[in-house]
Coordinates of all heavy atoms in Angstrom, one line a residue:
T6 N 3.1 48.4 27.6 CA 3.3 49.8 27.1 C 4.5 50.4 27.8 O 5.1 51.3 27.2 CB 2.0 50.6 27.3 OG1 1.7 50.6 28.7 CG2 0.9 50.1 26.4
Y7 N 4.8 49.9 29.0 CA 6.0 50.4 29.7 C 7.2 50.2 28.9 O 8.1 51.0 28.7 CB 6.1 49.7 31.0 CG 7.4 50.0 31.8 CD1 7.5 51.1 32.6 CD2 8.4 49.1 31.8 CE1 8.6 51.4 33.3 CE2 9.6 49.3 32.5 CZ 9.7 50.5 33.3 OH 10.8 50.8 34.0
F8 N 7.3 49.0 28.3 CA 8.5 48.6 27.4 C 8.3 49.2 26.0 O 9.3 49.6 25.4 CB 8.7 47.1 27.3 CG 9.5 46.6 28.5 CD1 9.0 46.1 29.6 CD2 10.9 46.7 28.4 CE1 9.7 45.6 30.7 CE2 11.7 46.2 29.5 CZ 11.1 45.7 30.6
M9 N 7.1 49.4 25.5 CA 6.8 50.0 24.2 C 7.4 51.4 24.2 O 8.0 51.8 23.2 CB 5.4 50.0 23.9 CG 4.7 48.7 23.6 SD 5.5 47.7 22.3 CE 5.7 46.1 23.1
E10 N 7.2 52.1 25.3 CA 7.8 53.5 25.4 C 9.3 53.5 25.3 O 9.9 54.3 24.7 CB 7.3 54.2 26.6 CG 5.8 54.5 26.7 CD 5.4 55.6 25.8 OE1 6.2 56.1 25.0 OE2 4.2 56.0 25.9
R11 N 9.9 52.5 25.9 CA 11.4 52.3 25.8 C 11.8 52.0 24.4 O 12.8 52.5 23.9 CB 11.8 51.3 26.8 CG 11.6 51.7 28.3 CD 12.3 50.8 29.2 NE 12.3 51.4 30.6 CZ 13.1 51.0 31.5 NH1 14.0 50.1 31.3 NH2 13.1 51.6 32.7
Y12 N 11.1 51.0 23.8 CA 11.5 50.6 22.4 C 11.4 51.8 21.4 O 12.2 51.9 20.5 CB 10.5 49.5 21.9 CG 10.5 48.2 22.8 CD1 9.4 47.4 22.8 CD2 11.6 47.9 23.6 CE1 9.4 46.3 23.6 CE2 11.6 46.8 24.4 CZ 10.5 45.9 24.4 OH 10.4 44.8 25.1
R13 N 10.4 52.7 21.6 CA 10.3 53.8 20.7 C 11.5 54.7 20.7 O 11.7 55.4 19.7 CB 9.1 54.7 21.2 CG 7.7 54.2 20.7 CD 6.6 55.1 21.3 NE 5.4 55.0 20.6 CZ 4.3 55.6 20.9 NH1 4.3 56.4 21.9 NH2 3.2 55.4 20.2
R14 N 12.3 54.7 21.7 CA 13.5 55.5 21.8 C 14.6 55.1 20.9 O 15.5 55.9 20.6 CB 14.0 55.6 23.3 CG 12.9 56.2 24.2 CD 13.3 56.1 25.7 NE 12.2 56.4 26.6 CZ 12.2 56.1 27.9 NH1 13.2 55.4 28.4 NH2 11.1 56.5 28.6
F15 N 14.5 53.9 20.4 CA 15.6 53.4 19.5 C 15.1 52.7 18.3 O 15.8 52.5 17.3 CB 16.6 52.5 20.3 CG 16.0 51.3 20.9 CD1 15.8 50.1 20.1 CD2 15.6 51.3 22.2 CE1 15.2 49.0 20.7 CE2 15.1 50.1 22.8 CZ 14.9 49.0 22.0
L16 N 13.8 52.3 18.3 CA 13.3 51.6 17.1 C 12.8 52.5 16.1 O 12.3 53.6 16.4 CB 12.1 50.7 17.6 CG 11.5 49.6 16.7 CD1 12.6 48.5 16.5 CD2 10.3 49.0 17.3
T17 N 13.1 52.2 14.8 CA 12.6 53.1 13.7 C 11.1 53.2 13.7 O 10.4 52.4 14.3 CB 13.0 52.5 12.3 OG1 12.5 51.1 12.2 CG2 14.6 52.5 12.2
D18 N 10.6 54.3 13.2 CA 9.1 54.5 13.1 C 8.5 53.3 12.4 O 8.9 53.0 11.3 CB 8.9 55.8 12.4 CG 7.4 56.3 12.6 OD1 6.8 55.8 13.6 OD2 7.0 57.1 11.7
N19 N 7.4 52.8 13.0 CA 6.7 51.6 12.5 C 7.7 50.4 12.4 O 7.5 49.5 11.6 CB 6.1 51.9 11.1 CG 4.8 52.6 11.2 OD1 3.9 52.1 11.9 ND2 4.8 53.8 10.6
G20 N 8.7 50.4 13.3 CA 9.5 49.2 13.4 C 8.7 47.9 13.8 O 7.7 48.0 14.5
T21 N 9.2 46.8 13.4 CA 8.5 45.5 13.6 C 8.8 44.9 14.9 O 10.0 44.8 15.3 CB 8.7 44.6 12.5 OG1 8.3 45.2 11.2 CG2 8.0 43.2 12.7
I22 N 7.8 44.3 15.6 CA 8.0 43.6 16.9 C 7.4 42.2 16.6 O 6.2 42.1 16.3 CB 7.4 44.3 18.1 CG1 8.1 45.6 18.3 CG2 7.6 43.4 19.3 CD1 7.6 46.4 19.5
N23 N 8.2 41.1 16.8 CA 7.8 39.8 16.6 C 7.8 39.1 18.0 O 8.7 39.2 18.7 CB 8.7 39.0 15.7 CG 8.9 39.7 14.4 OD1 8.0 39.7 13.5 ND2 10.1 40.3 14.2
V24 N 6.7 38.3 18.3 CA 6.6 37.6 19.6 C 6.3 36.2 19.3 O 5.3 35.8 18.7 CB 5.4 38.2 20.4 CG1 5.4 37.5 21.8 CG2 5.6 39.7 20.6
K25 N 7.2 35.3 19.7 CA 7.0 33.8 19.7 C 6.8 33.4 21.2 O 7.7 33.7 22.0 CB 8.1 33.1 19.1 CG 8.1 33.1 17.6 CD 9.2 32.2 17.0 CE 8.7 30.7 17.0 NZ 9.7 29.8 16.3
T26 N 5.8 32.7 21.5 CA 5.5 32.4 22.9 C 4.7 31.1 23.0 O 3.9 30.8 22.2 CB 4.8 33.5 23.7 OG1 4.7 33.2 25.0 CG2 3.5 33.8 23.0
D27 N 4.9 30.4 24.1 CA 4.1 29.2 24.5 C 2.9 29.7 25.3 O 1.9 29.0 25.5 CB 4.9 28.2 25.3 CG 5.4 28.9 26.6 OD1 6.4 29.6 26.5 OD2 4.9 28.6 27.7
S28 N 3.0 30.9 25.9 CA 2.1 31.5 26.8 C 0.8 32.0 26.2 O 0.9 33.0 25.5 CB 2.7 32.5 27.7 OG 1.8 33.2 28.5
N29 N -0.3 31.4 26.4 CA -1.6 32.0 26.0 C -1.9 33.3 26.6 O -2.4 34.2 26.0 CB -2.7 31.0 26.2 CG -4.0 31.5 25.6 OD1 -4.2 31.6 24.4 ND2 -5.0 31.9 26.5
F30 N -1.4 33.5 27.9 CA -1.6 34.7 28.6 C -0.9 35.9 27.9 O -1.5 36.9 27.6 CB -1.2 34.6 30.0 CG -1.3 35.9 30.8 CD1 -2.4 36.1 31.6 CD2 -0.3 36.9 30.8 CE1 -2.6 37.3 32.3 CE2 -0.5 38.1 31.5 CZ -1.6 38.3 32.3
L31 N 0.4 35.7 27.6 CA 1.2 36.7 26.9 C 0.7 37.0 25.5 O 0.6 38.2 25.1 CB 2.7 36.3 26.9 CG 3.6 37.4 26.3 CD1 3.6 38.6 27.2 CD2 5.0 36.8 26.2
A32 N 0.4 36.0 24.8 CA -0.1 36.3 23.4 C -1.5 37.0 23.4 O -1.7 38.0 22.7 CB -0.3 34.9 22.7
T33 N -2.4 36.6 24.3 CA -3.6 37.3 24.4 C -3.5 38.7 24.9 O -4.1 39.7 24.4 CB -4.6 36.5 25.4 OG1 -4.7 35.2 25.0 CG2 -5.9 37.2 25.5
Y34 N -2.7 38.9 25.9 CA -2.4 40.3 26.4 C -1.8 41.2 25.3 O -2.2 42.3 25.2 CB -1.4 40.2 27.6 CG -0.8 41.6 27.9 CD1 -1.5 42.5 28.7 CD2 0.4 41.9 27.4 CE1 -1.0 43.8 28.9 CE2 1.0 43.2 27.6 CZ 0.3 44.1 28.3 OH 0.8 45.4 28.5
T35 N -0.9 40.6 24.6 CA -0.2 41.4 23.5 C -1.2 41.8 22.5 O -1.2 43.0 22.0 CB 0.9 40.6 22.9 OG1 1.9 40.2 23.9 CG2 1.6 41.4 21.8
K36 N -2.1 40.9 22.1 CA -3.1 41.3 21.1 C -4.1 42.4 21.6 O -4.4 43.3 20.9 CB -4.0 40.0 20.8 CG -5.0 40.2 19.7 CD -5.6 38.9 19.2 CE -6.5 39.1 18.1 NZ -7.8 39.6 18.5
Y37 N -4.5 42.3 22.9 CA -5.3 43.3 23.5 C -4.5 44.7 23.6 O -5.1 45.7 23.3 CB -5.8 43.0 24.9 CG -6.9 42.0 24.9 CD1 -6.8 40.8 25.7 CD2 -8.1 42.2 24.2 CE1 -7.9 39.9 25.8 CE2 -9.1 41.3 24.2 CZ -9.0 40.2 25.0 OH -10.1 39.3 25.0
M38 N -3.3 44.6 23.9 CA -2.5 45.8 23.9 C -2.4 46.5 22.6 O -2.5 47.7 22.4 CB -1.1 45.5 24.5 CG -0.2 46.7 24.7 SD 0.7 47.4 23.3 CE 1.7 46.0 22.7
V39 N -2.2 45.7 21.6 CA -2.1 46.2 20.2 C -3.4 46.8 19.8 O -3.5 47.9 19.2 CB -1.7 45.0 19.2 CG1 -1.9 45.4 17.8 CG2 -0.2 44.6 19.4
E40 N -4.5 46.1 20.1 CA -5.8 46.6 19.7 C -6.2 47.9 20.4 O -6.7 48.8 19.9 CB -6.9 45.5 19.9 CG -6.8 44.3 19.0 CD -7.7 43.2 19.4 OE1 -8.3 43.3 20.5 OE2 -7.9 42.3 18.5
K41 N -5.9 47.9 21.7 CA -6.2 49.1 22.6 C -5.5 50.3 22.0 O -6.1 51.4 22.0 CB -5.7 48.8 24.0 CG -5.8 50.0 24.9 CD -7.2 50.4 25.4 CE -7.2 51.4 26.4 NZ -8.6 51.8 26.9
N42 N -4.3 50.2 21.5 CA -3.5 51.3 21.0 C -3.5 51.5 19.5 O -2.8 52.3 19.0 CB -2.1 51.2 21.6 CG -2.0 51.3 23.1 OD1 -2.2 52.4 23.6 ND2 -1.8 50.2 23.7
K43 N -4.4 50.7 18.9 CA -4.5 50.8 17.4 C -3.2 50.7 16.7 O -2.9 51.4 15.7 CB -5.3 52.1 17.0 CG -6.7 52.1 17.6 CD -7.4 53.4 17.1 CE -8.9 53.4 17.5 NZ -9.1 53.2 18.9
L44 N -2.3 49.8 17.1 CA -1.1 49.5 16.5 C -1.3 48.6 15.3 O -2.2 47.7 15.3 CB -0.1 48.9 17.4 CG 0.2 49.6 18.8 CD1 1.2 48.8 19.6 CD2 0.7 51.0 18.5
P45 N -0.6 48.8 14.2 CA -0.7 47.9 13.0 C -0.4 46.4 13.4 O 0.7 46.1 13.8 CB 0.2 48.5 12.0 CG 0.5 49.9 12.4 CD 0.4 49.8 13.9

């Protein structure tokens, strides 16, 4: 969310973020972050 706040300053409203990763940790964390904040 530290970076999400930064992205909001230049990303269009409901702008898309795509994540490709080998890391199960990063993918899992990202999913929890999305769910916690009710992001689409």
